[in-house]
């Protein structure tokens, strides 16, 4: 019998994983920015949910994070 050695390889390179983690962190930051703005009393309406941070900044941050993760997935490793 032959002793065949199985070589394990990752699907992506190290840089792909780093960029992917950065993208996930940006998405998480966007969802953190989106949170809050509610009122403590359910009978009182709070205008804070229509703040610039929750309406414009947070969704834009989430979309940028998704763009970064898509880039990390589609980035080709350098063939040597």
């Amino acid at each position: 019998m032959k002793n065949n050695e199985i070589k394990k390889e990752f699907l992506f390179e190290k840089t792909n994983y780093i960029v992917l983690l950065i993208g996930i962190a940006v998405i998480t930051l966007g969802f953190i920015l989106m949170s809050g703005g509610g009122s403590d009393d359910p009978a009182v309406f709070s205008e804070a949910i229509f703040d610039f941070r929750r309406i414009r900044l947070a969704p834009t941050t989430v979309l940028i994070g998704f763009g970064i993760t898509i880039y990390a997935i589609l980035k080709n490793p350098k063939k040597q």
Side-chain angles (χ1 to χ4, degrees), residues 4-65:
N4 291 334
E5 185 175 321
I6 299 173
K7 185 178 179 184
K8 295 183 181 181
E9 292 185 19
F10 287 110
L11 185 61
F12 299 119
E13 288 185 344
K14 183 178 178 180
T15 56
N16 292 73
Y17 287 112
I18 291 171
V19 174
L20 185 67
L21 289 175
I22 290 170
I24 291 171
V26 171
I27 292 170
T28 305
L29 176 66
F31 279 109
I32 289 171
L33 289 173
M34 211 179 295
S35 67
S39 177
D40 294 333
D41 184 12
V44 177
F45 181 73
S46 175
E47 288 287 331
I49 59 171
F50 298 115
D51 191 18
F52 170 79
R53 185 183 87 187
R54 291 178 187 90
I55 297 295
R56 302 273 185 224
L57 182 63
T60 304
T61 306
V62 171
L63 289 176
I64 289 171

